[in-house]
Amino acid sequence: MPTTITLAVTRYRPEQETEPTVQNYEVPYDKDWVILDALNYIKNELDGTLSFRWSCRMGVCGSCGMMVNGEPKLTCATFLSEYLPGPIRVEPARYFPVLRDLVVEMSDFMQKLKKVKPWIIRSAEKPLEEGEYLQTPAELDLYKPFSMCINCTLCYSACPVYGLEPTFIGPAVIALARRYNQDSRDEGAEERDDILSEEDGIWQCTFVGECTKVCPKDVDPAGAIQQFKVTNTNRWFKSLLLPKGAK
Ligand code: SF4
Ligand code: FES
């Protein structure tokens, strides 16, 4: 068993370099350490200038996503032991502009997410005295898998369509739109369908399926996209067959 392992970490400090560089750090090897533990060791013991994001250290906040040996991973859920004997390449999340070292700019994703209104839309709330909006277990099952998304954006880093065409609204946003469209309390499906039918919406997806493969929460964004394609096609056919206003 090795006593140390090397991390080859991409550095980018915009005030002192125009291109990213790679810096090697030798850290203690511990079979219980995840990549994030090694990065924190570097930050605390070797080089306090290294920048990266994390918060929960338990696969919940979605902020520690990076490329590990070329694959999008949550670094708090990826063990050093998977990459023995090393070195392990750690790079910023692919397809996002890099602000510094391993920190990427997320505002494009945030704006796209807001566009599909990821909250419950209702034309009117029922009076409080009528009680809660109850759901059956079957109704819950329809949207629960999509509600597991932690906005880590690993699916964007895995998506070649997003890599080629950054205006594509992308897998997680579509999965989250599906989460609300499938919720029996929601009445906003048509609004979201219209947004997702636009040029940069669901039809950009060529069903590579990598988004679903890398998702650490088993959300299945690729499945959500295919479901949207079916429902939106049905809606379009209906609009052709039915008289105006009867959709
Ligand atoms: S769908 Fe999965 S990979 Fe994509 S942002 Fe949500 S949790 Fe992350
Ligand atoms: S630190 Fe929160 S998901 Fe990894």
Side-chain angles (χ1 to χ4, degrees):
M1 198 59 71
T3 54
T4 62
I5 191 163
T6 300
L7 263 64
V9 181
T10 300
R11 303 295 314 265
Y12 174 58
R13 291 143 294 191
E15 73 283 359
Q16 69 184 68
E17 54 206 355
T18 53
E19 293 291 323
T21 54
V22 176
Q23 194 161 344
N24 286 344
Y25 298 98
E26 196 169 344
V27 300
Y29 173 75
D30 183 319
K31 68 172 177 40
D32 297 325
W33 273 19
V34 289
I35 305 282
L36 183 61
D37 291 322
L39 291 173
N40 276 327
Y41 179 88
I42 296 170
K43 178 92 180 164
N44 295 335
E45 306 294 333
L46 305 178
D47 184 351
T49 70
L50 181 65
S51 298
F52 51 96
R53 281 199 189 105
W54 68 285
S55 179
C56 71
R57 207 197 163 276
M58 54 193 290
V60 173
C61 72
S63 61
C64 71
M66 297 170 209
M67 306 303 292
V68 179
N69 275 9
E71 282 181 46
K73 295 277 186 190
L74 286 185
T75 52
C76 72
T78 306
F79 286 85
L80 295 179
S81 57
E82 294 171 37
Y83 300 93
L84 284 176
I88 306 172
R89 211 160 15 98
V90 184
E91 298 164 281
R94 187 167 51 199
Y95 305 142
F96 289 89
V98 178
L99 293 173
R100 182 179 193 85
D101 296 336
L102 302 164
V103 178
V104 296
E105 169 63 75
M106 305 283 293
S107 49
D108 174 58
F109 169 71
M110 294 302 178
Q111 275 157 17
K112 285 172 176 164
L113 186 56
K114 221 159 63 184
K115 223 175 145 188
V116 297
K117 306 187 179 181
W119 54 81
I120 287 179
I121 299 172
R122 293 191 60 83
S123 48
E125 291 296 339
K126 65 177 183 181
L128 275 182
E129 51 277 16
E130 286 181 27
E132 311 94 322
Y133 293 91
L134 296 178
Q135 286 182 320
T136 65
E139 284 171 334
L140 175 66
D141 286 347
L142 279 178
Y143 71 85
K144 194 174 172 200
F146 300 121
S147 75
M148 293 297 161
C149 177
I150 55 171
N151 296 347
C152 67
T153 66
L154 295 187
C155 49
Y156 285 72
S157 291
C159 174
V161 177
Y162 182 64
L164 284 171
E165 193 41 80
T167 56
F168 174 39
I169 200 157
V173 169
I174 299 173
L176 282 160
R178 194 74 188 151
R179 179 255 173 271
Y180 287 93
N181 276 18
Q182 294 290 86
D183 192 318
S184 57
R185 298 164 295 183
D186 181 79
E187 295 170 344
E190 279 204 12
E191 272 182 65
R192 296 190 198 93
D193 287 350
D194 287 343
I195 292 157
L196 292 176
S197 299
E198 287 171 6
E199 202 182 333
D200 297 319
I202 49 174
W203 302 106
Q204 289 260 0
C205 171
T206 54
F207 201 39
V208 178
E210 284 300 313
C211 51
T212 291
K213 280 191 214 154
V214 301
C215 177
K217 294 290 168 184
D218 296 329
V219 172
D220 192 13
I225 297 171
Q226 300 322 304
Q227 289 172 20
F228 263 120
K229 285 182 178 174
V230 172
T231 49
N232 283 17
T233 305
N234 286 342
R235 203 177 137 218
W236 177 73
F237 266 119
K238 249 167 103 182
S239 76
L240 292 182
L241 298 173
L242 294 176
K244 254 193 176 165
K247 284 187 265 173

